[in-house]
Amino acid sequence: MIRFPFILLALTVLTLLLLPFQLIALAFNLRMQRSIPHLFHRVLCKVVGIRIREVGQRCREAPALILANHVSWLDICVISALGPVVFISKSEVARWPVFGWLAKLQRTIFIDRQARHRTGAATEEIGDRLLTGDAVVLFAEGTSSDGIRILPFRSALIGAVHHALGKSDHHSAITVQPMSLAYVKFSGLPIGRALRERVAWYGDVDLIPHFIGVLASGAIDVTVSWGEPIPYDMQADRKQIARRAEAEVRRLTGAALRAGAAGSAAAAPPDLPHSQPLPA
């Protein structure tokens, strides 16, 4: 726990330093409103000790919708550290102390999941963001999981692809790219069943104790895998897009977890016979 107050102090100072610039950028609609959150999360990952390994490449074409699995609140930090993005989040997050405020500063799109009749308005807002050049991240499972299983991808908000294309005179396709997050080590140890809940934030786990536990611990290793970006036109079926992305994210996550386990086993020293003394 000695580590926690120092990291919290560093993050507080970082927030206060960047806050005036982000407020000005939002007020005057400046381009740096995208780059400041990216810088914030890059530094945050360095301070906390989040080590990111990328497999594949992120598509740089716009408009782009990124469909990802969801493991933890850490996902926001990891993805934002890799490049400017905006997230889609449940509306309850906007009311959270501190975290909701930070999400608003990052221009998060808030969706009321309880009001299904507002899905059209939600897809319209997402589509508008896509057309303005934002790379939009959708956690397509609709909730977080333990990081091993991939839950079925929901297709409703993927309809934003059709909205954007129907409204644009300049784009004939929207790029959709699957992305996988796999947390493979925690404090230098392979993340097995015993350590899974130290990183994954899901179910009824309280946010604040989980947040403190992560900041008080050591390094976290995460593998971010990019799937093949696919341009979709107006004829594309959103359910088909969801199924295809889900299958790709499941494949990428499994590969990353296996590679992480294999790497840990390879790094471990061989067992020595009981009669053989340990090296000095």
Side-chain angles (χ1 to χ4, degrees):
M1 292 298 293
I2 296 176
R3 186 173 183 265
F4 173 72
F6 291 101
I7 292 181
L8 187 61
L9 176 61
L11 295 181
T12 301
V13 171
L14 175 65
T15 302
L16 293 177
L17 284 174
L18 294 179
L19 177 60
F21 297 99
Q22 182 65 358
L23 290 175
I24 292 171
L26 291 172
F28 293 95
N29 196 28
L30 303 177
R31 292 187 64 181
M32 66 178 182
Q33 65 184 317
R34 296 184 175 96
S35 58
I36 290 175
H38 169 49
L39 173 62
F40 174 84
H41 284 100
R42 284 191 66 182
V43 177
L44 183 152
C45 286
K46 292 288 186 182
V47 171
V48 175
I50 302 172
R51 300 184 295 210
I52 306 171
R53 173 176 175 261
E54 280 191 272
V55 177
Q57 291 186 337
R58 172 182 166 181
C59 176
R60 299 299 175 181
E61 295 181 6
L65 176 65
I66 299 170
L67 301 182
N69 62 317
H70 193 16
V71 183
S72 171
W73 56 269
L74 282 168
D75 300 345
I76 306 295
C77 308
V78 171
I79 300 172
S80 293
L82 297 177
V85 295
V86 296
F87 294 92
I88 301 169
S89 179
K90 59 184 180 181
S91 57
E92 298 96 297
V93 173
R95 298 190 291 272
W96 291 358
V98 182
F99 297 99
W101 174 67
L102 290 173
K104 292 175 183 176
L105 286 174
Q106 194 167 354
R107 304 167 55 246
T108 297
I109 304 168
F110 295 104
I111 303 298
D112 187 352
R113 298 186 302 178
Q114 304 303 318
R116 293 184 179 274
H117 63 280
R118 298 191 60 185
T119 299
T123 56
E124 182 176 354
E125 182 177 1
I126 298 168
D128 289 344
R129 290 292 192 92
L130 288 169
L131 293 178
T132 58
D134 283 316
V136 179
V137 178
L138 170 62
F139 294 118
E141 296 166 295
T143 187
S144 54
S145 69
D146 61 8
I148 298 176
R149 300 170 298 160
I150 302 298
L151 304 177
F153 277 18
R154 301 181 180 183
S155 65
L157 295 180
I158 298 175
V161 169
H162 297 119
H163 172 81
L165 290 174
K167 199 170 182 180
S168 174
D169 296 326
H170 308 288
H171 303 286
S172 59
I174 301 289
T175 298
V176 177
Q177 185 168 25
M179 188 197 70
S180 156
L181 296 111
Y183 293 86
V184 295
K185 285 186 180 181
F186 183 79
S187 297
L189 298 174
I191 296 181
R193 189 175 300 275
L195 292 176
R196 179 61 51 185
E197 292 187 359
R198 299 289 298 274
V199 176
W201 180 61
Y202 65 104
D204 297 325
V205 178
D206 291 332
L207 175 59
I208 299 302
H210 193 274
F211 175 78
I212 294 173
V214 168
L215 265 59
S217 303
I220 296 173
D221 291 272
V222 56
T223 299
V224 176
S225 304
W226 297 97
E228 179 187 359
I230 301 174
Y232 286 99
D233 58 22
M234 279 293 287
Q235 306 306 315
D237 180 81
R238 61 181 174 83
K239 293 185 178 181
Q240 182 182 19
I241 297 174
R243 287 193 298 269
R244 185 168 183 174
E246 178 190 330
E248 181 69 354
V249 170
R250 181 174 285 109
R251 182 187 69 80
L252 293 170
T253 303
L257 292 174
R258 288 191 296 272
S264 300
D271 293 332
L272 296 174
H274 294 295
S275 59
Q276 180 178 343
L278 292 173

